[in-house]
C-alpha cells in the first residue's frame, strides 16, 4: 500500500538547514495498523505529513497504492488526498462554524458526492462513532474526545485507502484515548490501513506493528501482539 | 463552478460568518450609496442652475440705460441716457442678420381694480414679440398683437394670479379692469413657469402706455431676441456690435462703462453652465474617490478574511480541496456579497435621491438624480474590484502548502 525508499527531508531556516529525515525505508501492506514512535523532534510528524502529501519530500521515492507520488501539481495532490487519504490530527482541525455533520460531510463535498447522499453518509459515520445525537452541534459544544471522534468520522467518510493519525490521543485523557483507539481498531478490523503517530507505549501496543524513529532513521520495526482497547472502555 | 451545491456551500459560509459578511457588505453598500447620492447632488446643483434660466428665453439681451461717467463730444459727464421709439427702429434696421425681434419694456406699478377688488400690480408695456422673451404661456384668449401696438389699443393680458385675485372664480376674459385710472379690456390670461411673481403681471401695448403718459416716445428698456442659430460666438459678436452702435448713436465715450448696460442672457447661461460643469466634475471626483475608498475597504477586508481563514483553507486542502475549489469558494463569496450589497446600496441611493425631489432646494439642489447607467457602472466597477480584491489573497492562500496553512493559528 505504502512504499518509501531512501526518504530524505530537511527544513531550511535562513542559512541553516535541519536534516530531519535521513534515509527512511519503509513499507506498509494493506490492512496494517502501524504505530510510529520516537522522541519529540525525531521526525514522526514530518514523516506522516509527507505520507499524507501535506508536505513534499526532498529525496527518495514514495509510492501510494501503486502510484508514484512525485512532482504532483497542487490539484493532483488534492485529488489524491481526497481519494486515498484520511487525516486525524492531534488538534482535531474541525471547521468551527460547521456542525459535526457538516464537518464529516466536507470531504464528500470535494468528492462531488450529491448533497443528500453526503448528509446520509455523514450521519451514518457519526452513528459509527456514537455521535449521532450530536450531529447538529458545533465543535465548540463538544468535548475533546467527541471532537476527535467527529474527526475520525470525517476521515472515514471519504472511505480512504489509508488513515493517517498524528497523535490522535495526544489531547485526550487515558479513558477517552482508549475509546478512540477502540474506534481505530474497529476501523482497522474492517480492513483499512492505518498509521498512528504516538509516544505513548500503551497506545502503541494497541497497534499491530511498532516503528521506532530516532535521529531521522528507523531504529526498530517490530510486529506486536495487539492489545484490544475495548477491555478498558 | 456555478452548480447549486457550490452556492449552498457559499450561502452556508456567509450565513455562519455574519460579522464578516456584514462588514464587507456594509463597506460596499455604503460606498455605492455615497457615490450615488453625491453624484445625484451634483446633478441637482446643475438642475438648480439651469432652472434660473429655464423659464426665460436664453437668446436674449436686455439693454438698460444708465448715466454717463465721462464727458464726450461736447456732452458733459453724468448725463442720463434715454431710449425712445426711434432706437427700436434703428436697431431693427441695423442688425437684420442677428435679430429675431426687438421689444421695449416699460414697467409701471399701480392700483388695478375690478368691481370691488383691487390690488397693486406691475403693468408692463411691451410689444407683441415680448412673449418670446418671457416664454409666456397663454391659458385663454390671446397675447397682444401687432395691430394692438399700432392702434394703441387699451387691451391687457393678465397673469393667472391677477385673474384669481381680482375675479375670484369668474373668467376675466372680455371684462374691463381699471389700471391706474384707465380702463383696459382683458384679452388674455397667461401663466409663466417662473412662478408667482411673474404671474402677478399685466402686459399692455407699450404704445398705449406712452399715450397715457402724455404721448411720450421714451422707453425704459430694450429687449432684443437674436436668432438662436448664430450660436454663442455670434451672440458675443452681436453684443459687441450692438454696444458700439448704441455708443455712437447716444454719444457715449467708447470707454464709458456706465452709459448703458447690456445683460447677455446667453453669456450668463454659458458662464453658469461652466460653473455647474466644474462643480459636477468636482462632485464626480469626490464620488469616484468614494468608490476607490470602497475598493480599498473591501480589499482590506478580503485580505483579513483570507488571513483569518488560512487554517480553514489548510483543513479543506487536507480533505481534498483543489486550489481552484479554494479560490472559487472565496471569490464567489466576495463577489456574491459585493453584488448583493452593491445593488442594495445603489437602490437605497437611487431611492433616496428620488424621494428628495425639491426638499433640498434651499441648498441649491433641485431634483437630484443619477442616470441608471452611471449607477450600474459604478456598482459593476466595485464588484469587479471587489472580486479582484478577493482573488489576489485567495490565490495566495490556495498556493500555501497545506501543512503551512494547518500550522496557522
Ligand atoms: N516547518 C518547520 N520548519 C522548520 N523546522 C521544522 C518544521 N517542522 C518541524 N521542524 C523541525 O523538525 C524536527 C522534527 O519535527 P517533527 O514535528 O517531525 O517531530 P515529531 O517527531 O513529530 O515531534 P513531536 O513528538 O514533538 O510531535 C524538529 O526538530 C522540528 O523542530
Ligand atoms: Mg509531531
Amino acid at each position: 500500500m505504502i512504499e518509501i525508499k531512501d526518504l530524505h527531508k530537511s527544513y531550511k531556516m535562513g542559512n541553516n538547514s535541519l536534516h530531519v529525515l535521513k534515509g527512511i525505508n519503509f513499507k506498509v501492506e494493506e490492512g496494517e495498523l502501524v504505530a510510529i514512535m520516537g522522541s519529540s523532534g525525531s521526525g514522526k510528524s514530518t514523516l506522516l505529513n509527507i505520507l499524507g502529501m501535506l508536505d513534499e519530500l526532498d529525496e527518495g521515492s514514495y509510492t501510494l497504492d501503486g502510484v508514484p507520488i512525485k512532482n504532483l501539481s497542487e490539484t493532483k495532490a488534492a485529488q489524491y488526498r481526497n481519494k486515498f487519504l484520511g487525516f486525524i490530527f492531534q488538534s482535531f482541525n474541525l471547521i468551527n462554524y460547521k456542525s459535526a455533520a457538516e464537518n464529516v460531510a466536507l470531504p464528500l463535498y470535494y468528492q462531488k458526492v450529491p448533497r443528500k447522499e453526503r448528509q446520509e453518509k455523514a450521519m451514518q459515520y457519526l452513528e459509527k462513532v456514537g455521535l449521532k445525537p450530536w450531529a447538529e452541534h458545533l465543535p465548540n459544544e463538544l468535548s475533546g474526545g467527541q471532537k476527535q471522534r467527529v474527526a475520525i468520522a470525517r476521515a472515514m467518510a471519504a472511505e480512504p485507502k489509508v488513515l493517517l493519525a498524528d497523535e490522535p490521543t495526544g489531547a485526550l485523557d487515558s479513558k477517552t484515548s482508549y475509546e478512540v483507539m477502540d474506534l481505530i481498531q474497529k476501523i482497522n478490523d474492517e480492513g483499512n490501513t492505518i498509521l498512528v503517530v504516538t509516544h505513548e507505549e500503551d497506545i502503541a501496543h494497541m497497534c499491530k506493528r511498532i516503528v521506532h524513529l530516532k535521529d531521522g532513521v528507523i531504529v526498530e520495526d517490530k510486529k506486536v501482539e495487539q492489545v484490544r482497547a475495548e477491555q478498558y472502555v | 463552478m456555478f452548480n447549486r451545491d457550490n452556492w449552498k456551500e457559499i450561502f452556508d459560509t456567509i450565513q455562519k460568518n455574519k460579522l464578516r459578511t456584514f462588514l464587507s457588505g456594509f463597506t460596499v453598500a455604503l460606498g455605492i450609496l455615497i457615490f450615488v447620492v453625491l453624484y445625484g447632488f451634483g446633478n441637482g446643483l446643475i438642475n438648480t442652475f439651469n432652472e434660473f434660466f429655464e423659464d426665460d428665453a436664453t437668446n436674449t439681451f436686455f439693454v438698460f440705460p444708465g448715466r454717463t461717467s465721462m464727458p464726450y463730444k461736447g456732452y458733459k459727464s453724468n448725463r442720463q441716457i434715454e431710449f425712445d421709439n426711434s432706437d427700436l427702429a434703428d436697431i431693427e434696421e441695423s442688425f437684420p442678420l442677428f435679430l429675431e425681434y426687438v421689444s421695449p419694456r416699460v414697467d409701471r406699478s399701480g392700483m388695478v381694480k375690478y368691481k370691488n377688488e383691487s390690488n397693486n400690480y406691475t403693468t408692463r408695456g411691451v410689444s407683441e414679440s415680448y412673449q418670446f422673451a418671457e416664454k409666456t404661456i397663454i391659458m385663454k384668449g390671446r397675447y397682444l398683437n401687432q395691430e394692438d401696438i399700432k392702434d394703441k389699443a387699451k387691451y391687457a393680458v393678465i397673469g393667472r394670479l391677477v385673474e384669481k385675485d381680482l375675479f375670484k372664480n369668474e373668467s376675466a376674459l372680455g371684462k374691463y379692469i381699471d389700471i391706474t385710472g384707465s380702463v383696459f379690456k382683458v384679452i388674455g390670461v397667461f401663466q409663466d413657469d417662473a412662478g408667482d411673481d411673474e404671474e402677478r403681471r399685466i402686459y399692455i401695448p407699450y404704445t398705449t402706455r406712452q399715450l397715457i403718459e402724455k404721448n411720450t416716445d421714451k422707453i425704459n428698456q430694450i429687449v432684443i431676441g437674436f436668432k438662436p442659430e448664430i450660436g454663442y460666438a455670434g451672440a458675443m459678436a452681436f453684443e459687441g456690435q450692438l454696444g458700439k452702435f448704441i455708443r455712437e448713436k447716444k454719444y457715449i465715450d467708447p470707454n464709458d462703462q456706465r452709459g448703458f448696460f447690456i445683460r447677455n442672457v446667453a453669456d450668463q447661461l454659458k458662464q453658469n453652465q461652466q460653473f455647474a460643469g466644474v462643480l459636477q466634475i468636482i462632485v464626480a471626483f469626490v464620488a469616484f474617490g468614494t468608490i476607490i475608498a470602497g475598493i480599498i475597504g473591501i480589499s482590506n477586508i478580503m485580505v483579513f478574511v483570507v488571513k483569518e481563514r488560512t487554517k480553514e483553507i489548510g483543513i479543506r486542502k487536507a480533505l481534498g480541496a483543489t486550489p481552484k475549489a479554494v479560490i472559487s469558494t472565496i471569490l464567489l463569496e466576495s463577489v456574491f456579497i459585493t453584488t448583493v450589497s452593491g445593488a442594495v446600496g445603489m437602490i437605497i441611493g437611487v431611492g433616496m435621491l428620488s424621494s428628495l425631489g425639491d426638499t433640498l432646494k434651499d441648498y441649491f439642489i433641485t431634483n437630484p438624480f443619477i442616470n441608471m447607467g452611471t449607477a450600474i457602472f459604478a456598482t459593476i466597477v466595485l464588484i469587479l474590484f471587489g472580486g479582484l480584491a478577493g482573488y489576489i489573497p485567495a490565490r495566495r492562500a490556495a498556493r500555501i502548502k497545506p501543512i503551512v496553512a494547518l500550522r496557522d493559528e
Side-chain angles (χ1 to χ4, degrees):
Chain A
M1 179 61 61
I2 288 174
E3 190 172 1
I4 49 175
K5 281 192 186 135
D6 202 27
L7 174 81
H8 285 262
K9 174 76 183 174
S10 337
Y11 288 112
K12 276 159 208 69
M13 288 170 298
N15 293 330
N16 298 334
S17 167
L18 183 67
H19 202 173
V20 179
L21 299 178
K22 305 167 179 167
I24 305 245
N25 291 287
F26 180 52
K27 214 170 172 174
V28 179
E29 300 299 334
E30 192 166 354
E32 277 198 276
L33 175 54
V34 185
I36 300 170
M37 293 198 70
S39 55
S40 186
S42 57
K44 306 183 293 291
S45 297
T46 305
L47 175 61
L48 205 73
N49 289 336
I50 290 171
L51 294 179
M53 288 189 266
L54 298 175
D55 207 348
E56 282 152 9
L57 53 81
D58 293 341
E59 264 175 59
S61 72
Y62 171 25
T63 313
L64 174 62
D65 199 32
V67 181
I69 306 300
K70 207 182 167 193
N71 295 331
L72 293 182
S73 71
E74 247 317 313
T75 308
K76 261 267 161 303
Q79 283 161 357
Y80 283 148
R81 279 197 291 271
N82 190 242
K83 215 160 74 183
F84 291 131
L85 302 164
F87 295 95
I88 302 163
F89 302 95
Q90 181 177 357
S91 55
F92 323 126
N93 281 342
L94 299 175
I95 292 178
N96 56 19
Y97 64 84
K98 284 182 178 289
S99 70
E102 287 167 338
N103 264 289
V104 176
L106 199 56
L108 298 171
Y109 170 73
Y110 291 115
Q111 282 182 354
K112 310 219 182 322
V113 175
R115 185 168 184 81
K116 208 158 157 58
E117 204 182 317
R118 269 196 333 250
Q119 287 166 336
E120 280 164 12
K121 256 195 169 158
M123 290 312 282
Q124 190 186 314
Y125 280 98
L126 275 176
E127 190 166 21
K128 244 188 181 153
V129 299
L131 285 179
K132 202 175 175 189
W134 301 87
E136 297 314 317
H137 286 250
L138 291 176
N140 60 17
E141 298 162 351
L142 302 174
S143 73
Q146 286 171 327
K147 280 187 213 172
Q148 197 57 297
R149 274 145 68 193
V150 173
I152 291 170
R154 181 176 68 182
M156 287 163 61
E159 287 165 4
K161 297 213 157 85
V162 177
L163 216 59
L164 302 170
D166 194 351
E167 303 195 37
T169 61
L172 307 174
D173 65 20
S174 55
K175 186 173 174 297
T176 14
S177 294
Y178 295 145
E179 279 169 16
V180 166
M181 280 314 290
D182 180 40
L183 253 172
I184 286 175
Q185 283 179 342
K186 282 177 178 151
I187 296 163
N188 177 246
D189 292 344
E190 288 168 17
N192 293 294
T193 314
I194 305 176
L195 274 71
V196 180
V197 167
T198 182
H199 41 224
E200 292 162 83
E201 280 293 337
D202 52 344
I203 299 294
H205 278 89
M206 291 175 176
C207 299
K208 294 173 177 167
R209 176 180 162 194
I210 299 176
V211 173
H212 254 277
L213 273 186
K214 199 180 173 196
D215 294 333
V217 288
I218 294 177
V219 289
E220 194 187 6
D221 186 345
K222 62 176 185 200
K223 292 242 155 59
V224 292
E225 190 60 40
Q226 188 181 41
V227 179
R228 296 300 292 191
E230 212 170 0
Q231 54 193 308
Y232 302 109
V233 177
Chain B
M1 192 171 179
F2 290 104
N3 68 44
R4 222 178 114 235
D5 227 26
N6 282 349
W7 284 110
K8 186 80 180 71
E9 174 73 17
I10 287 158
F11 290 145
D12 272 3
T13 313
I14 287 173
Q15 235 170 36
K16 287 173 180 163
N17 295 279
K18 291 205 175 69
L19 180 68
R20 186 166 88 199
T21 307
F22 173 78
L23 278 180
S24 37
F26 187 74
T27 311
V28 171
L30 196 68
I32 285 290
L33 178 76
I34 294 175
F35 171 82
V36 167
V37 170
L38 274 180
Y39 203 91
F41 278 11
N43 281 333
L45 276 176
I46 290 191
N47 279 344
T48 310
F49 277 108
N50 287 340
E51 216 169 61
F52 287 147
F53 296 90
E54 206 161 64
D55 59 301
D56 293 336
T58 53
N59 58 326
T60 318
F61 298 161
F62 291 86
V63 187
F64 308 89
R67 252 172 207 284
T68 56
S69 59
M70 298 174 185
Y72 189 63
K73 288 201 172 161
Y75 289 94
K76 285 187 183 136
S77 179
N78 205 24
R79 168 173 55 105
Q80 176 66 49
I81 300 295
E82 283 185 311
F83 295 135
D84 57 41
N85 291 353
S86 74
D87 296 325
L88 290 180
D90 285 350
I91 289 172
E92 203 152 12
E93 225 164 77
S94 309
F95 299 100
L97 247 57
F98 295 117
L99 209 68
E100 195 162 79
Y101 61 83
V102 182
S103 170
R105 192 163 94 169
V106 188
D107 283 356
R108 298 286 181 268
S109 101
M111 269 307 195
V112 179
K113 283 185 221 154
Y114 175 73
K115 291 188 180 162
N116 295 327
E117 300 292 336
S118 67
N119 208 342
N120 215 40
Y121 297 107
T122 298
T123 304
R124 184 163 272 185
V126 296
S127 74
E128 75 285 351
S129 49
Y130 190 73
Q131 185 180 5
F132 305 120
E134 290 276 4
K135 285 193 180 167
T136 306
I137 303 154
I138 290 294
M139 292 167 72
K140 49 188 173 184
R142 63 170 179 86
Y143 201 73
L144 303 168
N145 65 25
Q146 229 168 339
E147 294 297 301
D148 302 336
I149 310 299
K150 218 173 82 197
D151 300 346
K152 305 179 183 177
K154 288 197 158 183
Y155 286 163
V157 178
I158 65 174
R160 184 175 64 85
L161 294 177
V162 177
E163 183 187 38
K164 207 174 150 202
D165 293 347
L166 297 182
F167 292 85
K168 307 296 172 199
N169 295 325
E170 263 181 77
S171 172
L173 223 54
K175 309 269 163 56
Y176 290 88
I177 52 174
D178 180 317
I179 301 176
T180 54
S182 307
V183 176
F184 283 73
K185 184 179 179 185
V186 178
I187 59 162
V189 179
F190 69 89
Q191 63 183 54
D192 196 304
D193 285 343
D196 294 5
D197 282 355
E198 301 259 345
E199 293 183 329
R200 285 214 157 81
R201 280 208 187 115
I202 297 170
Y203 293 117
I204 60 169
Y206 75 98
T207 48
T208 315
R209 166 62 67 204
Q210 288 176 333
L211 185 67
I212 293 169
E213 293 180 352
K214 297 175 192 128
N215 212 3
T216 171
D217 68 345
K218 299 279 182 272
I219 49 183
N220 290 128
Q221 294 167 27
I222 303 172
V223 181
I224 296 168
F226 59 83
K227 291 178 177 151
E229 58 268 26
I230 68 173
Y232 176 71
M236 296 307 286
F238 183 21
E239 185 187 338
Q241 290 185 27
L242 183 69
K244 212 169 140 215
F245 174 84
I246 294 172
R247 275 174 208 286
E248 270 168 23
K249 190 169 177 206
K250 300 285 175 193
Y251 307 108
I252 301 168
D253 189 291
N255 296 318
D256 191 342
Q257 299 300 316
R258 315 199 132 264
F260 69 97
F261 308 92
I262 298 178
R263 192 179 138 223
N264 182 340
V265 178
D267 194 28
Q268 285 180 335
L269 176 68
K270 173 128 182 163
Q271 283 176 14
N272 276 283
Q273 277 172 341
Q274 276 170 347
F275 181 57
V278 169
L279 270 179
Q280 175 70 327
I281 288 168
I282 292 170
V283 170
F285 190 75
V286 174
F288 273 103
T290 318
I291 291 288
I292 288 168
I295 290 169
I296 292 170
I298 184 82
S299 306
N300 280 333
I301 291 169
M302 284 317 293
V303 168
F304 169 75
V305 162
V306 171
K307 188 139 186 57
E308 189 204 48
R309 293 179 78 174
T310 304
K311 181 154 186 141
E312 182 196 332
I313 290 166
I315 297 171
R316 284 173 182 270
K317 289 183 100 173
L319 298 179
T322 58
K324 211 180 114 194
V326 170
I327 292 173
S328 80
T329 309
I330 295 174
L331 200 60
L332 287 182
E333 187 187 314
S334 91
V335 168
F336 179 79
I337 294 173
T338 35
T339 305
V340 170
S341 48
V344 167
M346 185 183 86
I347 290 166
I348 294 176
V350 170
M352 265 171 74
L353 287 183
S354 61
S355 71
L356 278 173
D358 276 353
T359 50
L360 291 179
K361 208 162 178 170
D362 289 348
Y363 305 97
F364 298 105
I365 291 164
T366 313
N367 293 324
F369 76 101
I370 183 167
N371 58 40
M372 277 323 256
T374 312
I376 290 169
F377 173 75
T379 311
I380 288 174
V381 165
L382 199 57
I383 292 168
L384 280 181
F385 280 91
L388 192 67
Y391 177 73
I392 293 167
R395 197 188 51 178
R396 197 181 323 130
R399 280 183 182 162
I400 306 176
K401 272 199 280 183
I403 188 64
V404 177
L406 276 171
R407 219 179 279 132
D408 187 83
E409 279 312 326

